[in-house]
Amino acid sequence: MTEPRYLTDAEKLAVATAEAKKGLAEGGIPIGAALFDEEGRLLGSGHNQRVQGGNPALHGETAAFLNAGRQRSYRRTTMATTLSPCWYCSGLVRQFNIGRVIVGENENFFGGQDWLAENGTEVTTVNDPELIRIMTDFIAANPELWNEDIGED
């Protein structure tokens, strides 16, 4: 049996979106991510688990990265994330030279994506209406939790 391939940005982002919805259903912050190789094979996916796991380091991108396991190189990989990556997650992308990032939305939060682009990462922003709505609704209902997640007082 062959592994499924996620060839379009929409297909890749759909994996991250499913993770975000899973996190929300678990009572967490609805941010999901997925890491793909250059052939479109899913290496790993995950969602923000700061609330569920009590672990401030488990953002969506870091969960996907951890679930992907060791790779010889990340230069030809693509990270799909439902929300513009914060500075912490942007640092992960830079540290391991992930070649491309697909941003589901950056209207509710604009992280380090310009810095990533300035330093050689290809960044594509979709601004998907569903993802914008999910985060807008979550932030309105959970402002203290959201501020904790982004490091605001």
Side-chain angles (χ1 to χ4, degrees):
M1 184 170 175
T2 62
E3 297 177 56
R5 304 279 172 108
Y6 301 85
L7 301 178
T8 68
D9 288 359
E11 290 171 330
K12 291 176 175 80
L13 193 55
V15 176
T17 299
E19 287 285 350
K21 290 177 179 178
K22 181 177 178 183
L24 183 62
E26 294 171 354
I29 299 164
I31 302 170
L35 187 66
F36 300 88
D37 72 9
E38 66 185 318
E39 302 297 323
R41 288 181 291 255
L42 177 64
L43 299 172
S45 63
H47 54 276
N48 186 304
Q49 296 176 50
R50 295 182 78 248
V51 174
Q52 304 92 309
N55 184 338
L58 276 181
H59 286 207
E61 296 88 343
T62 58
F65 180 78
L66 290 169
N67 288 331
R70 291 175 55 195
Q71 306 296 316
R72 190 175 93 53
S73 171
Y74 296 88
R75 173 49 62 200
R76 291 188 175 98
T77 63
T78 297
M79 176 75 76
T81 179
T82 59
L83 187 66
S84 181
C86 69
W87 286 103
Y88 170 59
C89 295
S90 294
L92 176 128
V93 169
R94 286 280 298 125
Q95 174 65 36
F96 292 96
N97 294 312
I98 292 171
R100 182 163 187 257
V101 175
I102 303 166
V103 176
E105 75 108 336
N106 65 7
E107 290 189 15
N108 282 292
F109 180 78
F110 196 97
Q113 68 183 73
D114 284 348
W115 176 70
L116 290 173
E118 290 165 5
N119 285 281
T121 304
E122 180 185 340
V123 178
T124 302
T125 303
V126 176
N127 276 329
D128 178 87
E130 178 186 21
L131 293 174
I132 293 168
R133 180 193 53 75
I134 289 170
M135 281 309 301
T136 300
D137 292 350
F138 178 82
I139 292 167
N142 304 279
E144 289 181 13
L145 184 57
W146 172 244
N147 285 335
E148 176 189 327
D149 193 60
I150 61 172
E152 297 288 329
D153 290 332

